[in-house]
Structure formats: C-alpha cells, structure tokens
Amino acid sequence: MLPITRTDRPIGLAMTTAVAVELGPLARAAAPSSSAQLIPLPRRRRAAGAIRASPVSGRSEDAGEPPATLLPNARRRGRDPLWYGGGFSLGVDLGDARTGLAVGRGITLPRPLTVLKLRGQKLELTLLDVARQQEADELIIGLPVSADGRETPQSNKVRSVVGRLAVQAAERGLRVYLQDEHGTSIDALDYMISRGVKKSARDVKSDAYAAVMILKRYFTSSGQGAKIVLPRQPELQEKLIAQSRQDAEI
C-alpha cells in the first residue's frame, strides 16, 4: 500500500488550495531501461502536526496512489518501457528573484531554456505559456530541503507559489509536481564547468542549469521522488485525468 500525504500548509486563498500527493516506490514496478540508473532520494520527515491527505476524488484511501494517468511521465515510462505517451517535462528552479527553466523528455539530457526575472502572477502565467510552447504536459518544480530531508523556510515560499500555479495549470490540463532539489545548485556548477560554460556566463545561466539538474534527477530516478500537487476541486482533478488520457492516446 502506498501512502498519500497532504501538506498542511495553507496556501492563502480558497481558490488556490492544492494538496501534494506523494508517489511512493512501486512494490512491483517494471524494471527501468538499462540507460536509467535508480538514485534513491532522501525520505522527507513529516512536519509536526501534518495531517494525512484525503484521497483523490472518487478513490478510497486504501487505493494507495493516484490513477496511472496522474503519475509523472517518467514514472509511467519506468513502469512500462513500451509506453510512449506523454509530452515533454518543464523543469523549474524557483527563486526569490530569478527562475530557471529547462526542458526534457528523458530520452536525451535535458537542455537549459532561459532565466525569468518575474514574480507573482506574471511568473505563473509565463511558466504555463512556456510549458505549452515547449509541448510540455507537466511541470517539475524543485522543492528546497536540507541535507537531512527536512523542509526549510524557502520550502514554504515555493509551496505557496506552486499551490497557486497548480490550480491554473489544472485549468489548462497541465500537471504540477514537486521534486527534491537539494544539492542541484552545486551539481549545476559542476555540470556547467564540464560543458565548458565560461566563468563569466555561469552566474547568468546558473538557474537554468539548476533546472536541468532537477529534471536530470527526476528522470534518473524514474520519477520515484516526485509529488503531484493537486487542486482540491474534484472537477479540476477530473479534468487533469481526462487530459492525461487524451495526451496518451495522441
């Protein structure tokens, strides 16, 4: 049985309320392709006072995990190597002043896109527009945590943005996931050096390359550590399921 957990942090406005659903390891998952190496991610400790999430609309809590159509693309491909559905994944490294973006599909290494210097609603709408332009059907957003897996004050800021974003994304049929981003900034620096990025350009591009590292971790682990952020509204959950089925058929 796989646990479904809910964050107990209020997002602020009722219309922007969303829950994070943890996608735990599959007991009998199909073995990933030989090109993908599983990297175990640290298990986060539940904050004191946290409460269990109610299940996805229409499913009992004993059902374990969300419907297959709500699993991240990397997870579905890990379970079934012959599954070719799903679009691209947009990696997002959220910051106070800058937000790095990257895109990938798990077949080749993700590539950096750009760094946005936006905040608030302008940032959220731009993220959704970029996702559509890149033919992405899911956003993989880095969640800051400490070395021992505990969440930080910065985690709360990211969850606040992601909670609002998840509602707007669901209205467009896009799924939003949280992915542990601990250490990705250091990984990004090492990666830029290995790729020959000039020192003068590293600071400008660092956020985009951090987004690359978030996607790389997501794909390498076959999406095992990703948490979907679902709107509480059942109608938006159903819209996500319907859209995911349609995308898979295409």
Side-chain angles (χ1 to χ4, degrees), residues 25-214:
L26 289 172
R28 293 180 293 277
S33 61
S34 58
S35 62
Q37 176 184 0
L38 289 179
I39 297 179
L41 297 178
R43 192 173 183 83
R44 293 190 195 91
R45 301 179 183 179
R46 180 180 298 177
I51 59 176
R52 288 181 62 85
S54 58
V56 177
S57 177
R59 292 174 62 86
S60 66
E61 193 166 344
D62 290 338
E65 65 181 2
T69 48
L70 292 183
L71 294 177
N73 292 339
R75 180 74 169 271
R76 297 184 71 179
R77 295 184 187 115
R79 294 176 65 181
D80 181 6
L82 298 179
W83 184 74
Y84 294 104
F88 286 85
S89 305
L90 183 69
V92 182
D93 179 53
L94 279 175
D96 290 332
R98 305 190 307 183
T99 295
L101 303 182
V103 68
R105 203 166 185 265
I107 300 174
T108 58
L109 286 174
R111 60 182 177 87
L113 281 180
T114 188
V115 175
L116 302 175
K117 297 181 180 180
L118 301 171
R119 300 181 67 180
Q121 188 176 21
K122 286 185 178 181
L123 172 61
E124 295 156 18
L125 292 177
T126 300
L127 290 176
L128 298 177
D129 288 341
V130 172
R132 281 304 187 193
Q133 292 167 11
Q134 296 297 323
E135 299 181 357
D137 59 356
E138 61 179 15
L139 289 82
I140 311 299
I141 301 177
L143 179 68
V145 294
S146 60
D148 63 359
R150 292 179 180 272
E151 295 195 8
T152 66
Q154 188 64 25
S155 306
N156 295 334
K157 295 180 181 180
V158 169
R159 285 187 178 277
S160 179
V161 174
V162 172
R164 295 190 301 269
L165 180 65
V167 174
Q168 299 178 74
E171 292 172 348
R172 302 188 185 197
L174 302 175
R175 289 165 283 116
V176 174
Y177 300 88
L178 287 171
Q179 170 69 48
D180 175 4
E181 69 167 22
H182 174 71
T184 52
S185 295
I186 296 176
D187 293 341
L189 176 59
D190 293 340
Y191 187 69
M192 284 189 289
I193 293 174
S194 70
R195 302 281 288 188
V197 178
K198 294 182 178 180
K199 187 174 182 180
S200 58
R202 290 174 198 164
D203 183 60
V204 176
K205 298 180 178 181
S206 61
D207 299 279
Y209 276 91
V212 168
M213 294 297 102
I214 290 169

Side-chain angles (χ1 to χ4, degrees), residues 5-33:
T5 58
R6 171 183 290 169
T7 58
D8 62 342
R9 299 169 180 78
I11 299 302
L13 300 177
M15 65 176 293
T16 62
T17 305
V19 297
V21 180
E22 183 172 3
L23 307 177
L26 289 172
R28 293 180 293 277
S33 61

